[in-house]
Amino acid sequence: GESVGLHLPTLSVQEGDNSIINCAYSNSASDYFIWYKQESGKGPQFIIDIRSNMDKRQGQRVTVLLNKTVKHLSLQIAATQPGDSAVYFCAENLTGNQFYFGTGTSLTVIP
Amino acid sequence: DTAVSQTPKYLVTQMGNDKSIKCEQNLGHDTMYWYKQDSKKFLKIMFSYNNKELIINETVPNRFSPKSPDKAHLNLHINSLELGDSAVYFCASSHGPRQPQHFGDGTRLSIL
């Protein structure tokens, strides 16, 4: 399954399938990006980050892709599990402590 | 062993009151933040401190005043609460600027 953009989309995927969550960031000068996962009633939790000198970074079951040309970031989750159900945010950083968060994508995993 | 803890978890109060939210981190981080999350889940930074020094003060009404007594604490005091202040407020910390943040579980503020 795949989602697009900053309009708080919802994405439903079957357990075991791969998920792709997309994010269009706003500032072409931003050079550091983070993906967070927020479960209901909890604070955002760090998943993976990437700096602009890279276009791909892999973690455990997750991959972040960065396309600076079109200001696009994606999070790929392999073999999605029910525990992956949450709202996912991308955040961009231009300088210092200032992070701008996207509006989030709600992922629901269907067992 | 909660890394970033906020109190209270829920805060229900009337318009016009003054309230405080406390935040403590035991991660040894130098940087702390306050964020506001609205009903549509939009997260916006309010304040950021480095080593007790205010670094970021976004366009936030001056009814909101952060206070950092030491590097491990960043409290948020809100005067004359308004209906529009209803939201979830998150405290976070990081090793320094441009580093992943660790968030608390939020304080849900409801104004009657």
Side-chain angles (χ1 to χ4, degrees), chain A residues 8 31-32 34 36 38 41-44 46 49 51 87 89 93-99 101-103, chain B residues 9 31 33 35 37 40-43 45 48-50 55-56 58 90 97-101 103-105:
Chain A
L8 195 57
D31 62 357
Y32 177 50
I34 303 177
Y36 289 93
Q38 186 178 19
K42 299 284 188 183
F46 170 79
D49 59 357
R51 299 191 186 267
V87 177
F89 294 94
N93 176 260
L94 174 61
T95 182
N97 295 8
Q98 184 61 279
F99 283 86
F101 280 71
T103 52
Chain B
K9 190 171 176 64
T31 305
Y33 309 78
Y35 284 85
Q37 187 172 46
K40 296 180 181 176
K41 297 286 192 183
F42 184 66
L43 261 170
I45 192 167
S48 176
Y49 274 70
N50 268 352
I55 300 298
I56 294 175
E58 283 292 293
F90 286 99
R98 297 166 68 77
Q99 295 290 325
Q101 293 152 52
F103 284 79
D105 284 339

Side-chain angles (χ1 to χ4, degrees), chain B residues 23-39:
Chain B
C23 178
E24 176 182 5
Q25 54 96 3
N26 63 5
L27 297 166
H29 287 168
D30 289 336
T31 305
M32 295 187 73
Y33 309 78
W34 277 108
Y35 284 85
K36 179 180 181 181
Q37 187 172 46
D38 63 21
S39 59

Side-chain angles (χ1 to χ4, degrees), chain A residues 47-107:
Chain A
I47 301 173
I48 192 168
D49 59 357
I50 189 168
R51 299 191 186 267
S52 61
N53 60 350
M54 303 173 72
D55 52 20
K56 180 178 179 179
R57 192 163 188 222
Q58 288 184 292
Q60 187 177 12
R61 283 201 307 119
V62 294
T63 300
V64 55
L65 299 177
L66 174 61
N67 185 331
K68 295 180 286 292
T69 304
V70 294
K71 295 189 291 184
H72 184 268
L73 198 65
S74 69
L75 177 71
Q76 301 177 2
I77 305 173
T80 315
Q81 302 168 359
D84 295 328
S85 294
V87 177
Y88 289 81
F89 294 94
C90 66
E92 61 180 294
N93 176 260
L94 174 61
T95 182
N97 295 8
Q98 184 61 279
F99 283 86
Y100 296 99
F101 280 71
T103 52
T105 296
S106 178
L107 174 66

Side-chain angles (χ1 to χ4, degrees), chain B residues 9-24:
Chain B
K9 190 171 176 64
Y10 299 97
L11 188 49
V12 181
T13 190
Q14 293 194 324
M15 220 164 41
N17 284 350
D18 303 339
K19 290 293 178 187
S20 291
I21 307 172
K22 295 186 176 181
C23 178
E24 176 182 5

